[in-house]
């Protein structure tokens, strides 16, 4: 049950954006052009990069150096983005990708390079068919639904109209449409009714590229108190987040670009700040 | 043979009805069949629509959607072994093991092993003799080694039968089925056709296919006939005379389960609302008292009232949209659950929980 203040918070989160600039890799640039043209966009944090691929393709196609007989579709399947020599994982929401870098929010334009060749299959999930983003998203949302209910039934019993409408709302970044299905038909009305909260914690400073995902209940079964984000972090990363520490001494959690205070119950946080793939992605960054 | 000709005549002569009665009678119109089929294909793409050749085409169904098909569905066990029943006509001697255990399943496996020259141990999750295939075959064929089987039986009382059957599978036991769902005009329900192939791709004859149908249905409702929408393909079909009644019962059950769940959610919601309203009331009271002190603007009480109204409208929306609990497009999902009970060994159901 979303109150009007909840809706206001969610609305602001959905409006969150990141300034991105995209340049063509010199390997793919037509020799007649000395410098790559730059594509600027204000991307929505709560969205996915592949949803902008069509725009990128339309802009850069005239500047590509190989035979222009390449079809739009083939170019799109070979498209990949890179930041400072690191391939960008297209399956993560944009806000998460940006937070993961720990850059200063206000100062930067995120400078990316776009490639149309040599897709790094060692680092990125291959883009096999044109619906790769949709298929991945469907998988994520089904998993989130299962975590919420211990059953995939709510999402599987959606009518064809509803399930297509849910994907359309993701593509169009339309919260009211997303709300009418995800919040009203999939999420239980009360946040403490969740069987578990779909949470993923990312540790960008870890040497092995860690993602933590364990089961989180909305309430502690013994004390019946709502579990807060501090409780979760203390359980999973006790060295960084000790119970007695009132403030974030060594590290802090960044969700949707916001440093969240420790005493917020995680189930309520989920309803407010879930990304549109159904997960609450939390980045852990170190205090400098 | 005669019966199948009769049923195809009956199909030909019965007029097609277009009135929707699926909840009352469990029957569906052709339009509802297409709708349910679209839903099945959309959510579970292992099922696909298929057109039929011109002479087999029915005009009450769209040209490209004459029947549904799923191909190459595996079947690892025959119905009787799956259900733990010994429905075979052959006599089986009771083999008494050393500890007095009666090994009821050994003889069937014995037969299988003896029939097959090269057996492979491919589903050997529970067996402790997986390392050497040949050894295990030798041991199986030696009746006196029953105490080895005893250990397997002792391992896990609940899953006795399953473990036992899975552990000594031969690849040759595996069959593949193409399943077809057509529409029966005389009974106004979907009708299931099975075409089976053994592990070498050779079509099964009807007697072999009967082995994959559970005993209750085998004698009563399974028929051998040529699939009406295919060219010269012999299939085993499940006679649809009882489908409507069964579907009606299953859908009523599904509806009741869904309604109960909704009721529980509604009650929870109302409890939560009451709690929130009580809290709001106490907040309001505090605000009123504070307002009386002249410390706060009197406008603030107005804001609270607006919150309540918004609260109300969001709550109502949830229930207005869910008046249609079981929709006709879920019909085929429920139908497949029913078919799964008729053909227990065939693993065709990768859909979802029906209710």
């Amino acid at each position: 049950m979303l109150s009007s203040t909840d809706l206001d918070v969610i609305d602001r989160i959905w409006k969150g954006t990141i300034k991105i600039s995209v340049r063509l890799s010199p390997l793919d640039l037509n020799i007649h052009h000395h410098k790559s043209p730059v594509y600027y966009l204000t991307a929505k944090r709560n969205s996915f990069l592949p949803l902008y691929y069509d725009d990128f393709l339309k802009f850069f196609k005239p500047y590509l150096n190989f035979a222009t007989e390449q079809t739009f579709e083939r170019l799109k399947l070979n498209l990949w983005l890179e930041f400072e020599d690191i391939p960008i994982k297209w399956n993560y929401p944009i806000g998460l990708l940006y937070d993961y870098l720990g850059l200063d929010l206000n100062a930067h334009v995120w400078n990316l390079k776009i490639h149309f060749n040599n897709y790094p299959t060692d680092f990125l999930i291959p883009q096999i068919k044109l619906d790769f983003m949709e298929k991945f998203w469907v998988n994520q949302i089904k998993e989130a639904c299962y975590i919420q209910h211990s059953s995939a039934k709510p999402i599987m019993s959606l009518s064809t109209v509803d399930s297509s409408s849910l994907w359309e709302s993701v593509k169009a970044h339309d919260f009211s449409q997303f709300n009418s299905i995800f919040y009203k038909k999939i999420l239980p009305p009360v946040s403490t009714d969740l069987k578990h909260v779909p949470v993923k914690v990312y540790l960008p400073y870890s040497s092995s590229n860690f993602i933590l995902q364990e089961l989180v209940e909305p309430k502690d079964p013994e004390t019946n108190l709502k579990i807060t984000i501090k409780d979760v972090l203390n359980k999973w990363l006790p060295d960084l987040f000790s119970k007695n520490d009132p403030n974030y001494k060594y590290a802090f959690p960044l969700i949707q670009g916001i440093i969240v205070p420790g005493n917020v119950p995680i189930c309520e946080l989920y309803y407010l700040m879930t990304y549109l793939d159904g997960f609450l992605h939390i980045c852990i960054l170190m205090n400098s | 043979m005669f019966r199948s000709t009769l049923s195809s005549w009956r199909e030909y002569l019965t007029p097609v009805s277009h009135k929707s009665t699926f909840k009352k009678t469990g029957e569906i119109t052709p339009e509802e069949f297409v709708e349910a089929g679209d839903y099945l294909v959309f959510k579970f793409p292992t099922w696909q629509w298929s057109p039929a050749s011109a002479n087999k085409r029915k005009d009450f169904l769209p040209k490209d959607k004459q029947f549904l098909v799923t191909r190459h569905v595996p079947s690892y066990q025959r119905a009787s072994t799956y259900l733990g029943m010994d429905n075979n006509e052959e006599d089986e001697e009771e083999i008494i093991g050393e500890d007095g255990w009666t090994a009821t399943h050994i003889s069937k496996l014995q037969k299988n092993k003896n029939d097959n020259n090269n057996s492979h141990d491919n589903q050997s999750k529970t067996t402790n003799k997986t390392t050497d295939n040949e050894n295990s075959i030798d041991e199986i064929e030696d009746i006196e080694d029953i105490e080895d089987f005893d250990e397997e039986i002792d391992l896990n009382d609940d899953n006795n039968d399953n473990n036992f059957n899975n552990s000594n599978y031969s690849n040759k036991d595996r069959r593949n089925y193409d399943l077809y769902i057509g529409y029966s005009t005389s009974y106004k329900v979907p009708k299931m056709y099975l075409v089976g192939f053994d592990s070498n791709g050779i079509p099964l004859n009807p007697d072999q296919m009967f082995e994959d149908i559970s005993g209750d249905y085998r004698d009563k409702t399974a028929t051998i006939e040529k699939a009406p929408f295919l060219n010269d393909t012999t299939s085993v079909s499940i006679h649809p005379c009882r489908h409507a009644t069964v579907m009606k019962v299953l859908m009523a059950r599904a509806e009741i389960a869904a309604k109960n769940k909704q009721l529980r959610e509604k009650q929870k919601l109302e409890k939560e609302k009451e709690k929130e309203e009580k809290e709001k009331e106490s907040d309001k009271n505090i605000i009123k008292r504070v307002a009386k002190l002249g410390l706060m603007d009197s406008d603030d009480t107005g804001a609270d009232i607006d919150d309540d109204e918004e609260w109300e409208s969001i709550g109502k929306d949830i229930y207005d949209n869910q008046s249609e609990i079981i929709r006709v497009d879920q019909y085929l999902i429920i139908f497949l659950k029913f078919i799964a009970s008729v053909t227990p060994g065939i693993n065709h159901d990768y859909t979802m929980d029906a209710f």
Side-chain angles (χ1 to χ4, degrees):
Chain A
M1 285 294 278
L2 299 176
S3 67
S4 60
T5 35
D6 291 342
L7 286 171
D8 186 39
V9 170
I10 298 177
D11 184 52
R12 286 171 197 237
I13 286 179
W14 276 59
K15 286 205 173 102
T17 55
I18 295 177
K19 298 188 259 298
I20 298 183
S21 77
V22 186
R23 288 177 175 75
L24 189 53
S25 142
L27 297 168
D28 295 324
L29 182 60
N30 190 312
I31 42 172
H32 294 303
H33 299 273
H34 291 289
K35 237 169 81 166
S36 162
V38 188
Y39 183 78
Y40 293 99
L41 81 145
T42 312
K44 295 284 190 298
R45 270 181 162 274
N46 201 7
S47 180
F48 294 96
L49 281 167
L51 298 177
Y52 293 97
Y53 277 11
D54 285 339
D55 297 333
F56 294 163
L57 205 38
K58 270 194 225 131
F59 179 82
F60 285 107
K61 192 155 191 286
Y63 302 94
L64 295 177
N65 71 349
F66 31 75
T68 45
E69 280 102 271
Q70 288 265 6
T71 61
F72 206 78
E73 284 75 26
R74 264 203 67 197
L75 285 172
K76 192 168 171 188
L77 295 177
N78 281 322
L79 197 164
W80 57 284
L81 292 158
E82 166 233 314
F83 173 67
E84 293 184 355
D85 294 332
I86 303 172
I88 300 275
K89 295 189 203 283
W90 56 262
N91 46 308
Y92 288 179
I94 297 177
L96 170 63
L97 287 169
Y98 188 82
D99 291 341
Y100 199 84
L101 298 169
L103 299 173
D104 179 9
L105 258 165
N106 297 319
H108 283 248
V109 170
W110 196 21
N111 298 316
L112 299 178
K113 244 193 245 163
I114 191 170
H115 295 259
F116 290 92
N117 249 326
N118 298 319
Y119 191 88
T121 44
D122 290 344
F123 295 96
L124 302 181
I125 300 176
Q127 297 167 175
I128 298 189
K129 278 199 207 160
L130 285 177
D131 59 357
F132 62 87
M133 186 69 245
E134 182 182 355
K135 287 285 186 276
F136 183 83
W137 173 84
V138 166
N139 208 356
Q140 290 290 89
I141 211 102
K142 272 195 209 174
E143 186 182 333
C145 178
Y146 189 88
I147 297 177
Q148 292 168 13
H149 298 270
S150 295
S151 152
K153 191 147 77 69
I155 192 136
M156 293 311 281
S157 11
L158 284 184
S159 66
T160 320
V161 169
D162 280 345
S163 10
S164 327
S165 171
L166 192 58
W167 170 240
E168 290 300 316
S169 77
V170 170
K171 277 202 292 191
H173 198 254
D174 182 344
F175 175 66
S176 60
Q177 200 181 355
F178 187 78
N179 181 19
S180 68
I181 300 172
F182 189 70
Y183 279 85
K184 300 231 172 99
K185 296 195 185 173
I186 302 202
L187 280 177
V190 180
S191 70
T192 40
D193 281 343
L194 290 171
K195 286 271 158 39
H196 298 280
V197 184
V199 174
K200 285 191 187 185
V201 170
Y202 297 82
L203 299 166
Y205 289 88
S206 151
S207 52
S208 36
N209 236 350
F210 253 138
I211 304 178
L212 290 175
Q213 185 181 0
E214 288 177 26
L215 290 177
V216 180
E217 290 165 351
K219 277 193 189 168
D220 187 327
E222 295 164 23
T223 65
N224 211 34
L225 291 173
K226 291 185 190 172
I227 292 186
T228 65
I229 182 171
K230 201 72 191 296
D231 294 333
V232 174
L233 293 175
N234 169 254
K235 188 169 171 215
W236 295 1
L237 303 163
D239 298 328
L240 289 177
F241 298 94
S242 69
K243 268 212 167 107
N244 306 320
D245 178 25
N247 292 319
Y248 293 126
K249 203 161 159 203
Y250 303 111
F252 59 95
L254 201 63
I255 310 176
Q256 299 270 13
I258 300 168
I259 302 176
V260 182
N263 58 350
V264 181
I266 195 124
C267 54
E268 292 174 16
L269 196 62
Y270 175 68
Y271 274 55
L272 293 177
M273 297 183 100
T274 177
Y275 281 82
L276 42 59
D277 60 356
F279 276 89
L280 187 66
H281 300 286
I282 305 178
C283 267
I284 305 294
L285 300 175
M286 308 298 282
N287 275 324
S288 46
Chain B
M1 206 55 233
F2 177 63
R3 211 168 120 197
S4 69
T5 327
L6 197 61
S7 70
S8 41
W9 257 75
R10 192 212 238 123
E11 295 275 344
Y12 183 69
L13 295 171
T14 317
V16 175
S17 138
H18 294 272
K19 259 191 336 178
S20 170
T21 58
F22 82 98
K23 277 203 190 159
K24 262 197 308 172
T25 57
E27 299 169 354
I28 49 170
T29 65
E31 289 77 28
E32 290 173 330
F33 178 66
V34 173
E35 201 182 328
D38 285 342
Y39 184 78
L40 184 69
V41 168
F42 176 77
K43 292 249 165 188
F44 308 106
T46 48
W47 285 92
Q48 284 295 315
W49 278 114
S50 173
S53 50
N55 54 345
K56 308 273 180 181
R57 199 177 294 162
K58 299 273 155 62
D59 51 9
F60 51 83
L61 290 173
K63 264 196 192 163
D64 53 348
K65 296 181 183 177
Q66 293 283 309
F67 59 92
L68 291 156
V69 57
T70 186
R71 297 193 196 276
H72 216 79
V73 170
S75 169
Y76 297 106
Q77 313 175 49
R78 306 289 81 80
S80 51
T81 50
Y82 186 91
L83 298 171
M85 303 181 314
D86 287 318
N87 279 342
N88 289 336
E89 295 85 352
E90 295 92 329
D91 285 325
E92 283 155 352
E93 294 174 27
E94 273 198 358
I95 300 163
I96 312 278
E98 289 196 5
D99 296 335
W101 277 96
T102 308
T104 54
H105 290 281
I106 292 182
S107 46
K108 186 147 171 69
L109 280 166
Q110 283 288 102
K111 257 183 351 84
N112 280 341
K113 290 301 159 288
N114 291 333
D115 286 343
N116 301 318
N117 294 325
N118 318 305
S119 308
H120 299 288
D121 225 28
N122 66 340
Q123 298 236 12
S124 38
K125 267 190 279 184
T126 53
T127 189
N128 24 23
K129 317 185 226 329
T130 56
T131 45
D132 194 340
N133 280 342
E134 296 221 359
N135 265 348
S136 62
I137 293 167
D138 287 338
E139 286 176 304
I140 290 165
E141 288 180 341
D142 194 347
I143 297 178
E144 277 141 27
D145 272 358
I146 285 170
E147 59 186 19
D148 294 327
F149 289 111
D150 289 346
E151 282 168 25
E152 283 197 49
I153 295 174
D154 282 332
L155 269 175
N156 204 340
D157 273 333
D158 300 5
N159 299 326
N160 257 349
D161 294 342
N162 276 339
N163 281 349
F164 206 62
N165 286 321
N166 279 335
S167 62
N168 292 306
Y169 260 158
S170 84
N171 239 344
K172 299 225 165 172
D173 262 351
R174 174 192 163 138
R175 291 175 175 180
N176 297 306
Y177 273 86
D178 287 352
L179 302 177
Y180 300 87
I181 305 181
Y183 181 75
S184 160
T185 41
S186 41
Y187 294 97
K188 299 199 198 60
V189 285
K191 187 170 173 187
M192 197 76 179
Y193 299 84
L194 294 88
V195 177
F197 304 90
D198 72 5
S199 49
N200 292 320
I202 300 169
L204 299 171
N205 61 43
D207 284 324
Q208 289 172 303
M209 289 201 272
F210 272 5
E211 286 174 0
D212 287 303
I213 300 181
S214 95
D216 304 333
Y217 293 93
R218 191 182 300 173
D219 311 318
K220 298 168 201 156
T221 63
T223 337
I224 306 171
E225 61 174 314
K226 290 221 188 304
F229 38 76
L230 296 173
N231 290 323
D232 202 29
T233 316
T234 313
S235 70
V236 170
S237 70
I238 316 283
H239 198 268
C241 54
R242 305 291 297 158
H243 285 353
T245 343
V246 172
M247 287 306 294
K248 191 165 136 204
V249 170
L250 290 179
M251 301 217 320
R253 260 197 234 154
E255 185 126 355
I256 291 174
K259 270 202 178 118
N260 280 339
K261 181 171 166 219
Q262 239 187 42
L263 203 62
R264 276 199 309 267
E265 286 200 348
K266 194 170 177 187
Q267 284 169 345
K268 262 196 204 160
L269 202 63
E270 283 173 0
K271 258 210 276 171
E272 185 76 19
K273 249 181 78 175
E274 275 175 25
K275 219 175 58 174
E276 294 279 353
E277 274 180 12
K278 276 201 197 127
E279 287 175 8
K280 275 190 181 253
E281 274 299 311
S282 58
D283 284 349
K284 262 195 196 159
N285 286 335
I286 294 174
I287 290 174
K288 278 193 191 138
R289 278 188 252 130
V290 170
K292 281 188 189 149
L293 293 174
L295 291 173
M296 280 173 83
D297 297 334
S298 49
D299 292 344
D300 283 344
T301 49
D304 277 319
I305 297 172
D306 281 345
D307 271 357
D308 278 338
E309 284 179 350
E310 190 137 4
W311 194 271
E312 287 267 338
S313 62
I314 292 174
K316 274 198 200 121
D317 277 347
I318 298 181
Y319 298 106
D320 287 339
N321 291 341
Q322 288 189 351
S323 48
E324 190 65 54
I325 301 182
I326 298 293
R327 307 176 306 259
V328 72
D329 49 6
Q330 295 164 311
Y331 188 96
L332 279 176
I333 309 286
I334 301 182
F335 180 73
L336 284 176
K337 302 288 162 213
F338 160 57
I339 293 293
S341 68
V342 176
T343 56
I346 304 180
N347 308 343
H348 64 78
D349 196 2
Y350 300 107
T351 58
M352 59 193 207
D353 294 338
F355 48 84

